[in-house]
Amino acid sequence: MAEATNRQILLVETPKGKLGSEHFKMTETTVPTLSDEGALLVRTHYISLDAANRAWMQGATYRDAVESGQVMAGGAIAEVIESKSSDFAAGDLVFADTGWQDYAVVPAKAAQKVPSMEPKTHLLSVYGVAGLTAYFGLLNCATPKAGETILVSAAAGSVGTLAGQIAKAAVPDCTVIGIAGSDEKCQWLKDELGFDATVNYKAEPVFKALKAVAPQGIDVYFDNVGGDILEAALFRMNNFGRIACCGAVSQYDGAPPSAGPRGVPGLIVTKRLNLRGFIMSDFPNEREKALKDLEGWVAEGKIKVQEDIIDGLENTPAALIGLLAGENRGKRMVKVV
């Protein structure tokens, strides 16, 4: 093998406040060897960056927590270099939790074969975790109906950009409102991605802004942030509104909040709201239909794919820190090779 070393980025300290570069370090070790049956040696091509990376440092979620001293966890598109599984061969592309490193040994049962396509980056964005999360959260969990008003927070991010566009593609006569963190992002959402209205949460009180842009109230809310924005949205929800709870990025990085949204139990009961938490893997039987729909909407120009690609494994910590600060538009990922 040409490469004699395997670069790895370790989490050296669990953050107690804001995530910083001091919480990571890069090391080099030997390329792992494949010994166990049913395992794959893979080489990482593109690492997915998500707000959930930060949540994994806080404790167990739908996966084990990342502890100090471990290779930082993360999903990636990778190439099979060697296989001890009859289901995979050298050269296959897979999506797997490789962690932040050049090479990894992963169980074949935990790897998902993906098609060869160009650009490969679409396997992490519109046809990967971001696109499927947006699709299932909006259509399977929030079940919007024709003519309804749909609100999306973190609307300029990887999932938010796609959730808003899926709404416009799949829900007749709907109104889509996006919440983002700058006037530039808000204008971009309207001009390029077809959102009907936007709110800059850094420039005006969200509750007041929502009252102006959605005077008839909100029927569906795709929540990526939690916290104060969730609270503001709850007060603007219509009776029998549905909320897809995708993430809580406002609470991942820094000190934990001292209190949650106020008045939630009363609002949920009074307005008969349905709040549903979910993750992408909850819908294995719907995956093929979702991918077919997404491919069709991309081909028809109803979905524009926005990707933010950072070069170099060594830049992965800074790229995640920047994502948590809202630097990115669309899906952020790191190109390793």
Side-chain angles (χ1 to χ4, degrees):
M1 184 175 293
E3 284 77 8
T5 60
N6 181 31
R7 297 174 301 162
Q8 299 178 316
I9 295 178
L10 308 183
L11 181 70
V12 295
E13 180 185 357
T14 302
K16 296 181 174 60
K18 288 280 188 183
L19 185 67
S21 58
E22 68 275 13
H23 297 117
F24 300 97
K25 73 173 181 180
M26 178 178 279
T27 65
E28 291 188 356
T29 184
T30 57
V31 175
T33 57
L34 196 57
S35 57
D36 294 340
E37 291 298 323
L40 309 173
L41 173 64
V42 300
R43 184 175 188 184
T44 307
H45 284 206
Y46 290 92
I47 295 172
S48 176
L49 291 180
D50 304 279
N53 290 131
R54 179 66 179 89
W56 301 339
M57 303 175 198
Q58 296 177 331
T61 55
Y62 51 85
R63 57 152 295 142
D64 293 339
V66 183
E67 305 288 349
S68 60
Q70 293 181 336
V71 175
M72 180 59 204
I77 297 298
E79 179 185 354
V80 177
I81 302 300
E82 185 181 352
S83 171
K84 289 202 172 183
S85 166
S86 59
D87 295 326
F88 296 87
D92 285 346
L93 287 180
V94 297
F95 176 78
D97 187 351
T98 63
W100 293 5
Q101 56 186 337
D102 288 311
Y103 295 90
V105 171
V106 298
K109 63 182 180 182
Q112 182 174 54
K113 192 179 296 186
V114 294
S116 178
M117 69 165 57
E118 291 297 337
K120 291 187 186 76
T121 53
H122 282 18
L123 295 167
L124 285 181
S125 60
V126 65
Y127 305 132
V129 173
L132 293 171
T133 297
Y135 183 100
F136 294 137
L138 183 71
L139 301 182
N140 291 52
C141 296
T143 59
K145 302 177 180 64
E148 290 191 322
T149 296
I150 300 167
L151 175 67
V152 181
S153 58
S158 62
V159 175
T161 54
L162 294 167
Q165 292 183 88
I166 290 168
K168 297 300 287 186
V171 186
D173 303 317
C174 69
T175 297
V176 177
I177 301 167
I179 300 175
S182 72
D183 289 340
E184 292 76 14
K185 285 183 176 180
C186 286
Q187 197 63 46
W188 172 71
L189 289 170
K190 290 186 288 186
D191 293 347
E192 296 295 325
L193 302 190
F195 283 64
D196 297 292
T198 54
V199 170
N200 178 356
Y201 74 91
K202 293 183 179 179
E204 55 188 328
V206 175
F207 175 80
K208 182 179 179 181
L210 290 178
K211 195 171 183 180
V213 297
Q216 303 303 314
I218 298 161
D219 302 295
V220 165
Y221 173 39
F222 194 107
D223 180 32
N224 287 305
V225 299
D228 293 341
I229 292 176
L230 171 59
E231 180 181 316
L234 283 166
F235 279 93
R236 293 300 303 150
M237 296 296 296
N238 289 329
N239 288 347
F240 304 103
R242 288 87 64 207
I243 300 174
C245 300
C246 178
V249 67
S250 69
Q251 300 175 27
Y252 292 159
D253 196 29
S258 58
R262 295 159 291 185
V264 169
L267 278 174
I268 293 172
V269 173
T270 303
K271 297 189 174 189
R272 285 86 86 200
L273 302 178
N274 184 344
L275 285 74
R276 179 172 174 181
F278 74 99
I279 59 174
M280 179 200 74
S281 57
D282 291 340
F283 305 94
N285 296 330
E286 303 288 333
R287 181 184 177 87
E288 292 306 316
K289 179 183 184 304
L291 288 172
K292 183 177 180 180
D293 287 343
L294 291 167
E295 289 166 2
W297 292 328
V298 170
E300 294 167 11
K302 293 181 178 179
I303 290 181
K304 296 179 180 178
V305 183
Q306 180 72 22
E307 297 173 337
D308 180 12
I309 303 169
I310 308 295
D311 280 325
L313 179 66
E314 68 277 8
N315 294 318
T316 311
L320 177 59
I321 292 164
L323 179 145
L324 294 170
E327 286 180 358
N328 60 302
R329 288 187 186 181
K331 175 63 182 174
R332 176 164 278 197
M333 64 189 79
V334 169
K335 181 180 180 181
V336 179
V337 293

